[in-house]
């Protein structure tokens, strides 16, 4: 369970991940203010802790969009947003992505003997496509996730797809901060990924390594 310090409404990620720069797998996002924009937004980009499978001259890690780029992405998708809230939204966006990568590393630890440095190759936002797990949970009354991403990890030459469902929870009553939950797991694209799910379920249930 991840609890950012600032509050913002739960909404799908505005960055159009399907439109990627082929050199660095990042979206083409403008830094120029919108014509009717009233608040100046920072254009600095934060470097994440997530290593790139394909690096460029600037950094070996992925860069998050600046608040200005984030706002432009929201506007391009027709979303009306208070300009004063954008920096807070970017903070939460980045915080959740860091949490997702940490969850992926827990899964990748199952393969650390063969690959000690997995890297993120590419990703795509799929807010309008329910994952099979989210659909089944919905049959039992679980609200749908507010967003979904598919991340493809380079496991030392092998591509492994992960599915990430983002859920919003009830705000923390003591701090009035939003609570988010991310459900991260390998997509069942292969027997190996299906077996990883079994292995992880065993570890979580019995608290020990499988033999």
């Amino acid at each position: 369970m991840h609890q950012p310090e600032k509050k913002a409404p739960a909404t799908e990620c505005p960055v159009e991940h399907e439109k990627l720069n082929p050199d660095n797998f990042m979206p083409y996002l403008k830094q120029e203010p919108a014509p009717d924009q009233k608040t100046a937004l920072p254009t600095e980009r934060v470097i994440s802790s997530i290593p790139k499978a394909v690096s460029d001259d600037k950094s070996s890690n992925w860069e998050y969009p600046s608040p200005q780029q984030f706002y432009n992405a929201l506007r391009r998708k027709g979303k009306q947003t208070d300009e004063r809230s954008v920096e807070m939204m970017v903070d939460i966006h980045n915080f959740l992505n860091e949490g997702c990568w940490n969850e992926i590393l827990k899964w990748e630890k199952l393969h650390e003997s063969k690959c000690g440095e997995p890297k993120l190759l590419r990703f795509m936002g799929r807010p309008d496509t329910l994952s099979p797990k989210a659909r089944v949970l919905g049959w039992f009354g679980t609200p749908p996730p507010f967003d979904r991403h598919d991340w493809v990890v380079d496991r030392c030459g092998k591509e492994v797809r992960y599915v990430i469902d983002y859920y919003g929870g009830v705000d923390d009553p003591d701090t009035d901060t939003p609570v988010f939950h991310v459900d991260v797991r390998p997509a069942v694209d292969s027997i190996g990924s299906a077996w990883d799910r079994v292995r992880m379920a065993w570890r979580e249930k019995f608290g020990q390594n499988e033999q």
Side-chain angles (χ1 to χ4, degrees), residues 56-186:
D56 54 27
D57 295 334
K58 295 180 180 179
S59 172
S60 59
N61 286 17
W62 287 78
E63 288 183 277
Y64 291 123
S66 70
Q68 183 63 63
Q69 290 175 313
F70 199 89
Y71 179 70
N72 289 342
L74 287 167
R75 290 287 298 265
R76 187 169 59 248
K77 296 187 74 172
K79 296 183 180 296
Q80 298 299 320
T81 304
D82 186 346
E83 298 168 11
R84 297 168 296 180
S85 300
V86 173
E87 290 187 64
M88 168 187 59
M89 296 172 69
V90 170
D91 287 344
I92 293 176
H93 170 273
N94 298 354
F95 181 80
L96 287 176
N97 280 340
E98 293 293 323
C100 290
W101 182 246
N102 287 332
E103 291 298 311
I104 286 175
L105 290 180
K106 292 178 183 178
W107 288 95
E108 287 299 305
K109 196 171 180 63
L110 296 172
H111 302 275
E112 64 180 343
S113 63
K114 295 182 179 179
C115 182
E117 296 184 6
K119 299 178 180 180
L120 181 60
L121 179 61
R122 60 182 180 271
F123 52 88
M124 178 179 292
R126 303 180 64 187
D128 299 322
T129 305
L130 277 180
S131 66
K133 182 177 180 179
R135 185 177 296 109
V136 171
L137 290 175
W139 296 342
F140 296 94
T142 300
F146 65 82
D147 198 8
R148 170 189 170 177
H149 281 187
D150 284 11
W151 290 19
V152 177
V153 170
D154 179 355
R155 185 186 292 159
C156 296
K158 179 180 180 179
E159 293 189 15
V160 181
R161 182 169 66 96
Y162 282 84
V163 177
I164 305 172
D165 287 324
Y166 297 79
Y167 293 89
V170 178
D171 290 356
D172 188 308
D174 297 325
T175 61
D176 196 34
T177 55
V179 175
F180 298 96
H181 170 67
V182 290
D183 186 359
V184 182
R185 68 276 186 196

Side-chain angles (χ1 to χ4, degrees), residues 15-16 22 24 36 47 53 69 94 131 143 178 189 193 196-198 201-202:
V15 179
E16 297 182 13
N24 59 15
D36 58 347
I47 297 177
Q69 290 175 313
N94 298 354
S131 66
D189 293 335
S193 290
D196 280 353
R197 287 201 183 189
V198 173
W202 178 274

